[in-house]
Amino acid sequence: MAKNDLQGTLELLILKTLAQNTSLHGYGIVLHIERVSGELLRVEEGSLYPALHRMEQNQWVRSQWALTETNRRAKFYSLTAVGRKQLAITERAWEQTVKGVQAVLHFA
Amino acid sequence: MNLPRRIAALFRRSSVDREIADELQAHLAMRTEDNIAAGMPPDAAARDARLRFGNPTATRERVEHVDIATGLDSFWRDIRYAIRGYCNAPLFAIVAIITLALGIGANTAIFQLLNEVRLRSLPIQHPEELVDIRIIGGNQGIGVSNSYYSSLTKPVWQEIERSHEPLAGVFAWSAEFQNMQTGANVNDVRAVRSINVSSQFFSTLGLEPIAGRLLDPEDMAAACAGSSAVVSYTWWQSQMGGRAISGAESVVLDRISYRIVGVTPPRFFGLAVGENFDFITPLCIPQNVGREYFDVGVMGRLAPGWNIDRATHWFTAASKGIFEAALPQGYNATVTEQFRNFKLGAYLANSGVSLLRRNYDSSLWILLGITGLVLLIACANLANLMLARASARQREIALRMALGATRTRLLRQLLLESGLLALFGAFLGIALAQVFSRLLIRVLASTDENLALNVHTDWRVLLFTSGIAVLTCTVFGTLPAFRAAKADPIHALKTGDAHAAGHRERYSMQRLMVVLQVAVSMVLLVTALLFVRSFRNLMTVDPGMRENGITVGGFLYPTSTITPEHFEEFKHQLVDEVRSVPGVSNAAIVTMAPLSGGSWGHLINIGSREGNSHFTWVSPTYFATMGIPIVSGRGFNDNDTANSPRVAIVNRAFVDRYFPGENPLGKTIRTQAEPRYPATLFEIVGVIPNTLYSDIHEKRSETMAFVPARQFPSEADGRGTQLVIASSLPSAIISEEIKRNIRAKHPEVRMYFFDVHERVLKSLLKERLLAILSGFFGALAAILVMVGLYGVVSYLVTRRRNELGIRIALGSTRSRIVSLVMGEAGRMLLVGTLIGTAISLAVTRSAGSLLFGLKTWDPATIAFAITALAAVAFSASFLPAFRAARLDPVDALRRD
């Protein structure tokens, strides 16, 4: 049984986002998720940063201070090799969860 | 919060905190910008950003929490918190750190010395392959041994050099003092240390010159005629100013000239730890080498594939051939057979050889034990301090637990706090140790001019220091920390009682600490007393003869033209001349000066019985000079000459051993033949009482025989003599006076002098050091115990204030209160001394060999130690008890 929860979902979204973009700051991650999901998903911004920092402690992501296009200093996150592996694990777990939930929903 | 403090708080915040704030701020700003770009008015844009983001402070704290809970940052935070805590209670921190630094410093200093004399390897390549070749069990007093390091004769060395299968390289060496000529007169000399080495010395040790070259085979071939010498780095720097080695400079050592051709590496101090050298010269083996002189050491490097056991086996097997070929002539059959049966063995020599090690090894271990125990007592005091501190912080800890801190987290914090103290203590301790160990070496060197020891702080020392730092930290930190972290927060907060954490339990732990301290300090006091009393015994030993105001003078005249048949005449002339120097009350020839470390003996036959005795040749005035009475028979006089019958004066021990219950006068003794000492028949003409012979430590009286100097075997006679000189003037002054007088008459005579009493004091250095240091540490332990006991008894009185108040209110007398409190201290003392006595008895047993005139089980010593501790306990508990008795019951009852 795949372990999953809301937090896990947010981590998955962050990991996937960083996998698709080489390096993004927190606000960029929020924008990316909202844009790609067609505004269906809204990231709770208050939870984003604790999650990012936790992931950094786990060494899934690394961070670096850099300038944005508008010349503002921001902390940019990018995926590490460990993070890439974690993404694969989390993705598989997510698929299991979706399958499981769907099976329950379609039970007749 | 006012503005300045706010700003200060901003700066104090760690960079990590600021980074988080910046990151979140950037997020909000970017959202606001985007909102404005999308057409919102600035106010609305900022509000929208805030709404989406949620409470920024809460978010920041959540992020911080993530970082703190898992990151290194929290460690740093704990450290800062701990330091803040110590800054609030600086006295506690200072006392703790100084206590630890002194304790750790003393331990490290002793360990540094121990490391230097015992553990460090020689600074050569692969020291672990170096072996020392010696006779298994020593040479049993056969022949003449001239130094602790020289265990083989030159002929034996020549045999080993010829064939040494287990060794890839092998060399002979002998270290000795030589006289370096500094002026034209024979007395213009300076004693230098030289090592005489055989050809493979440098290649076997793997030494490379730092300047010039080392000795080559050509130098070795010319060894006896004077060839080349290599100087030590120290000599090169201090005496030659480190200038280039040209090969033109030369030095005259014992009348042989050497060209200085090179310098050894700076770290190389020779093979004897604790002794440096100045010159290395080729070893001279003359054609007519003395075959009974044990005057070289032999070392080698194990060949690949050989180990110590196999090498020993090989040498043992080869011994028969080696000693057969190196037999000395002139001994009787028994001794010759004994020599023939010697067996050689190989011994590890990776850390060189050392007289210093032999002399001080056990003392240093004992000192290390003593300093370790002192540290333990100090730790117990610190633990009590920590406990008191923890109970004062009970509310803080309870509050933190109530706010969600886990026990592990608190434990970490508390351990970190004690760890921090230990760390500071250790750093300071290492610094102090450098001072302590150098101070100790200076004390040792002040009476032993041979001593040259450098201390290093190598990995062993650092490992040792960190080891004891961790250990002390565990001892004084862990228990209080566990105790504090076990607190029940609700109880602590509800009652507001600062002692909520099971006070009975902690209270008994404090008692346990005091009992431990008493026991350990008892051990230290007993040890100190034993050493002090042993030293006192040695200082007050009656040698049975004059010891003060006796100077030994050596007179050497190797270049004089006197012929051997006039040797005795010249010696007696010298005695007369010395006696006529103003200030000299008496003087006599003596072949072996008393109490000076040397010894000379012969095997003897009394009738059919075989035995041995010390032999000393003296001129007639000897017994008068030394203040030794003739108890029966006669002394020597000028009629005892080479042509008269051989006579001897023996001491009481000799009579007791060989003529028990008989009149020894007129009896004869015969010495057995030895090279240059033919068998001789002596008639006993006098008896003297027992005196000490060579060493103040002698526990039983040696058998001694004295023979007239004029009857000294002419074969053994040489161009030199030794005198004992009695004078009421200080040795240094009378020596100069004699030197001036004799030099005027005989410019070719070289002289040296030493004071017998000074020599004796030097030989007591180890005992003095042990007595002083153990006494010092014993006193320190007593003081620490006093402080610890005072703290605990005061604490006890505070704890029981309520109860004591009630007792007083109910009519208990002051004296009963005093006895109540002091009884508490008395019980701790009793248990502590009982345990301490048991441990002392077990521990001091190992120090038995270092004690003089005392048994390790010495009731007086133990009684004295107990009395001292009782005095300590009394003075520590009297003040608190007195305070308890003066308690105002109303006040005491109202307060709680």
Side-chain angles (χ1 to χ4, degrees):
Chain A
M1 177 45 204
K3 178 179 171 281
N4 215 314
D5 52 27
L6 236 61
Q7 192 181 314
T9 315
L10 179 58
E11 279 173 3
L12 172 63
L13 291 176
I14 295 171
L15 286 172
K16 195 68 192 176
T17 304
L18 290 178
Q20 288 158 353
N21 303 270
T22 41
S23 131
L24 274 181
H25 46 70
Y27 180 60
I29 295 172
V30 172
L31 286 187
H32 178 90
I33 293 172
E34 287 177 355
R35 190 164 46 78
V36 172
S37 68
E39 308 283 328
L40 278 177
L41 293 176
R42 279 194 68 173
V43 177
E44 205 202 313
E45 294 174 19
S47 304
L48 173 71
Y49 286 97
L52 273 172
H53 279 246
R54 194 161 39 242
M55 289 162 75
E56 192 177 1
Q57 301 284 358
N58 290 344
Q59 300 193 339
W60 297 349
V61 298
R62 72 172 79 87
S63 68
Q64 198 181 357
W65 284 89
L67 291 179
T68 64
E69 302 104 75
T70 56
N71 262 349
R72 176 174 292 286
R73 252 170 58 81
K75 206 172 175 187
F76 280 77
Y77 292 88
S78 54
L79 213 54
T80 64
V82 182
R84 233 170 272 285
K85 268 186 213 137
Q86 185 60 35
L87 173 60
I89 295 167
T90 321
E91 248 178 314
R92 232 186 351 268
W94 174 251
E95 277 159 21
Q96 298 277 329
T97 310
V98 171
K99 263 189 213 160
V101 171
Q102 272 182 348
V104 171
L105 289 180
H106 295 151
F107 184 74
Chain B
M1 211 189 262
N2 56 22
L3 195 65
R5 277 183 64 196
R6 228 177 243 255
I7 294 170
L10 258 179
F11 279 108
R12 267 213 309 276
R13 232 162 49 189
S14 77
S15 61
V16 177
D17 284 5
R18 209 160 37 235
E19 227 184 277
I20 293 168
D22 285 353
E23 187 180 10
L24 301 184
Q25 202 54 49
H27 182 107
L28 281 173
M30 282 189 280
R31 172 72 81 184
T32 311
E33 276 169 16
D34 282 359
N35 282 347
I36 292 172
M40 280 194 204
D43 281 5
R47 199 164 48 245
D48 177 68
R50 287 273 294 281
L51 272 174
R52 281 166 183 259
F53 194 78
N55 182 350
T57 316
T59 307
R60 202 186 69 217
E61 275 171 3
R62 278 176 64 195
V63 176
E64 276 173 14
H65 186 75
V66 168
D67 283 1
I68 290 160
T70 50
L72 255 178
D73 181 59
S74 65
F75 223 75
W76 179 230
R77 214 172 262 266
D78 281 358
I79 289 174
R80 282 192 312 169
Y81 182 76
I83 292 176
R84 264 209 310 278
Y86 287 138
C87 287
N88 286 337
L91 198 68
F92 168 79
I94 290 171
V95 167
I97 289 174
I98 288 180
T99 311
L100 281 173
L102 286 173
I104 293 176
N107 276 279
T108 307
I110 305 283
F111 182 78
Q112 264 185 329
L113 288 185
L114 205 59
N115 180 33
E116 218 53 50
V117 301
R118 158 123 238 144
L119 304 172
R120 270 167 71 87
S121 290
L122 289 176
I124 56 167
Q125 290 168 16
H126 294 288
E128 72 283 355
E129 294 170 357
L130 198 67
V131 293
D132 191 20
I133 307 296
R134 297 197 293 265
I135 297 168
I136 299 171
N139 70 356
Q140 275 136 47
I142 292 177
V144 183
S145 300
N146 73 342
S147 126
Y148 174 67
Y149 305 121
S150 49
S151 48
L152 297 177
T153 66
K154 282 173 182 154
V156 169
W157 149 242
Q158 286 172 316
E159 291 306 313
I160 296 175
E161 191 180 26
R162 244 186 287 278
S163 157
H164 49 84
E165 205 185 311
L167 305 176
V170 65
F171 62 86
W173 66 287
S174 80
E176 59 181 3
F177 276 91
Q178 289 191 310
N179 288 303
M180 185 178 86
Q181 209 66 44
T182 55
N185 185 269
V186 283
N187 276 305
D188 298 334
V189 290
R190 165 179 171 187
V192 291
R193 279 181 275 217
S194 64
I195 306 179
N196 307 330
V197 302
S198 71
S199 54
Q200 285 186 44
F201 180 79
F202 297 105
S203 59
T204 305
L205 293 177
L207 292 177
E208 296 293 337
I210 194 158
R213 63 172 178 86
L214 299 174
L215 304 179
D216 59 24
E218 223 168 281
D219 298 322
M220 294 296 169
C224 300
S227 54
S228 307
V230 171
V231 297
S232 72
Y233 183 82
T234 323
W235 181 274
W236 185 47
Q237 289 296 320
S238 63
Q239 306 296 318
M240 299 172 67
R243 57 179 175 268
I245 299 292
S246 61
E249 285 176 79
S250 64
V251 62
V252 177
L253 303 176
D254 283 349
R255 301 193 325 283
I256 296 182
S257 169
Y258 298 93
R259 268 180 316 120
I260 295 170
V261 295
V263 183
T264 57
R267 282 164 41 117
F268 184 68
F269 54 77
L271 297 167
V273 177
E275 294 167 38
N276 247 319
F277 70 94
D278 302 313
F279 297 97
I280 295 181
T281 55
L283 180 72
C284 160
I285 303 181
Q287 282 301 314
N288 55 341
V289 58
R291 299 171 78 85
E292 73 277 22
Y293 285 96
F294 288 79
D295 54 4
V296 291
V298 173
M299 284 195 191
R301 192 178 280 280
L302 285 174
W306 286 83
N307 61 25
I308 280 285
D309 291 336
R310 287 191 54 213
T312 297
H313 201 259
W314 188 93
F315 274 108
T316 308
S319 294
K320 195 156 185 59
I322 292 173
F323 286 105
E324 183 67 48
L327 275 186
Q329 304 302 314
Y331 284 107
N332 64 17
T334 337
V335 174
T336 311
E337 193 55 30
Q338 214 177 337
F339 189 91
R340 201 177 264 132
N341 287 330
F342 280 151
K343 294 276 176 277
L344 289 176
Y347 298 85
L348 266 186
N350 61 321
S351 48
V353 290
S354 178
L355 191 60
L356 192 73
R357 185 183 305 153
R358 192 194 66 169
N359 287 347
Y360 287 100
D361 195 19
S362 50
S363 320
L364 284 176
W365 283 110
I366 286 175
L367 279 179
L368 192 64
I370 288 175
T371 49
L373 289 180
V374 171
L375 186 61
L376 190 67
I377 295 181
C379 277
N381 262 358
L382 278 186
N384 270 345
L385 267 180
M386 290 296 264
L387 276 173
R389 195 172 129 88
S391 71
R393 285 171 63 184
Q394 200 59 59
R395 282 188 78 109
E396 174 208 328
I397 288 165
L399 197 65
R400 291 180 65 175
M401 284 176 110
L403 288 179
T406 59
R407 286 190 205 283
T408 352
R409 186 81 179 67
L410 278 175
L411 201 62
R412 198 180 81 180
Q413 169 76 42
L414 291 168
L415 284 179
L416 198 119
E417 285 180 10
S418 50
L420 212 59
L421 286 183
L423 194 75
F424 278 122
F427 271 118
L428 215 64
I430 288 183
L432 279 175
Q434 309 308 314
V435 183
F436 288 165
S437 57
R438 278 166 181 77
L439 221 70
L440 261 176
I441 289 180
R442 184 166 295 183
V443 171
L444 288 174
S446 68
T447 47
D448 183 356
E449 60 276 8
N450 292 4
L451 190 110
L453 198 62
N454 289 316
V455 284
H456 301 79
T457 306
D458 60 4
W459 63 268
R460 274 200 205 89
V461 174
L462 293 178
L463 196 73
F464 174 83
T465 310
S466 29
I468 53 170
V470 168
L471 210 70
T472 52
C473 178
T474 320
V475 170
F476 80 79
T478 314
L479 273 170
F482 271 99
R483 201 55 42 133
K486 254 171 72 178
D488 174 6
I490 300 180
H491 187 62
L493 286 175
K494 203 158 52 190
T495 60
D497 184 351
H499 316 285
H503 72 260
R504 282 225 57 94
E505 217 180 323
R506 179 173 53 235
Y507 173 43
S508 69
M509 201 163 83
Q510 286 187 323
R511 278 205 239 197
L512 204 74
M513 295 278 184
V514 170
V515 168
L516 174 88
Q517 284 184 318
V518 171
V520 171
S521 62
M522 170 92 187
V523 176
L524 289 176
L525 278 178
V526 168
T527 318
L529 282 170
L530 284 178
F531 283 136
V532 169
R533 291 187 55 198
S534 159
F535 178 59
R536 215 181 127 259
N537 285 352
L538 278 167
M539 286 296 281
T540 52
V541 159
D542 176 14
M545 60 188 157
R546 203 168 155 188
E547 176 199 339
N548 286 304
I550 296 289
T551 302
V552 172
F555 300 80
L556 306 165
Y557 30 92
T559 54
S560 91
T561 50
I562 309 164
T563 49
E565 54 269 26
H566 294 106
F567 280 170
E568 286 312 318
E569 207 175 301
F570 183 64
K571 285 179 191 175
H572 284 81
Q573 182 190 338
L574 272 177
V575 174
D576 290 339
E577 282 166 4
V578 168
R579 287 177 71 185
S580 66
V581 171
V584 174
S585 52
N586 214 338
I589 293 173
V590 63
T591 50
M592 191 55 73
L595 297 177
S596 305
S599 104
W600 188 267
H602 286 284
L603 289 175
I604 52 172
N605 292 92
I606 293 113
S608 58
R609 200 171 153 198
E610 193 167 87
N612 59 51
S613 172
H614 293 298
F615 271 79
T616 312
W617 283 261
V618 298
S619 61
T621 44
Y622 177 77
F623 300 104
T625 309
M626 297 306 295
I628 303 170
I630 309 283
V631 289
S632 64
R634 66 168 176 96
F636 297 139
N637 55 47
D638 289 333
N639 299 327
D640 298 315
T641 65
N643 304 318
S644 67
R646 299 291 184 260
V647 290
I649 292 174
V650 296
N651 70 347
R652 177 58 53 196
F654 190 102
V655 176
D656 291 344
R657 185 151 154 210
Y658 297 111
F659 305 104
E662 293 175 59
N663 179 7
L665 297 180
K667 297 274 192 325
T668 56
I669 48 179
R670 179 184 287 279
T671 57
Q672 294 187 3
E674 257 180 62
R676 294 176 299 118
Y677 291 83
T680 313
L681 190 72
F682 296 96
E683 184 195 334
I684 298 175
V685 295
V687 177
I688 58 165
N690 285 337
T691 63
L692 291 182
Y693 179 61
S694 70
D695 189 347
I696 201 88
H697 295 86
E698 278 161 20
K699 288 184 179 167
R700 58 178 187 86
S701 298
E702 306 276 328
T703 53
M704 289 184 244
F706 293 86
V707 180
R710 286 185 194 276
Q711 299 182 346
F712 192 67
S714 54
E715 302 94 314
D717 214 349
R719 296 169 188 273
T721 187
Q722 193 169 248
L723 267 56
V724 280
I725 301 151
S727 168
S728 51
L729 292 175
S731 183
I733 292 172
I734 199 68
S735 304
E736 272 315 304
E737 197 63 22
I738 296 168
K739 212 172 199 170
R740 212 166 46 78
N741 267 277
I742 299 296
R743 195 172 167 169
K745 290 176 189 136
H746 313 281
E748 78 286 5
V749 174
R750 194 165 66 67
M751 287 158 274
Y752 64 86
F753 297 91
F754 64 85
D755 183 44
V756 170
H757 185 63
E758 250 171 51
R759 187 66 68 101
V760 167
L761 288 184
K762 267 183 202 178
S763 75
L764 294 180
L765 175 65
K766 182 170 72 179
E767 285 79 6
R768 198 171 76 215
L769 212 65
L770 268 180
I772 291 174
L773 289 179
S774 67
F776 171 75
F777 285 124
L780 193 66
I783 292 172
L784 285 172
V785 167
M786 201 187 289
V787 173
L789 198 62
Y790 173 78
V792 171
V793 174
S794 303
Y795 179 75
L796 181 148
V797 169
T798 321
R799 287 278 333 142
R800 295 172 70 179
R801 186 202 299 276
N802 212 330
E803 176 208 329
L804 293 172
I806 293 173
R807 278 173 188 269
I808 296 174
L810 290 180
S812 179
T813 60
R814 306 265 176 206
S815 60
R816 286 190 61 177
I817 296 292
V818 169
S819 65
L820 185 80
V821 174
M822 294 192 56
E824 191 76 36
R827 273 196 293 282
M828 289 189 261
L829 178 76
L830 190 72
V831 180
T833 44
L834 277 179
I835 300 173
T837 309
I839 302 176
S840 307
L841 289 179
V843 166
T844 50
R845 195 175 297 249
S846 61
S849 64
L850 288 167
L851 298 179
F852 184 85
L854 283 176
K855 292 187 295 286
T856 52
W857 161 238
D858 189 54
T861 301
I862 288 180
F864 190 86
I866 291 177
T867 316
L869 277 175
V872 163
F874 179 80
S875 46
S877 55
F878 183 72
L879 206 63
F882 189 66
R883 269 209 306 268
R886 302 222 344 202
L887 215 60
D888 178 2
V890 180
D891 187 39
L893 287 171
R894 196 182 284 152
R895 216 185 275 186
D896 247 333

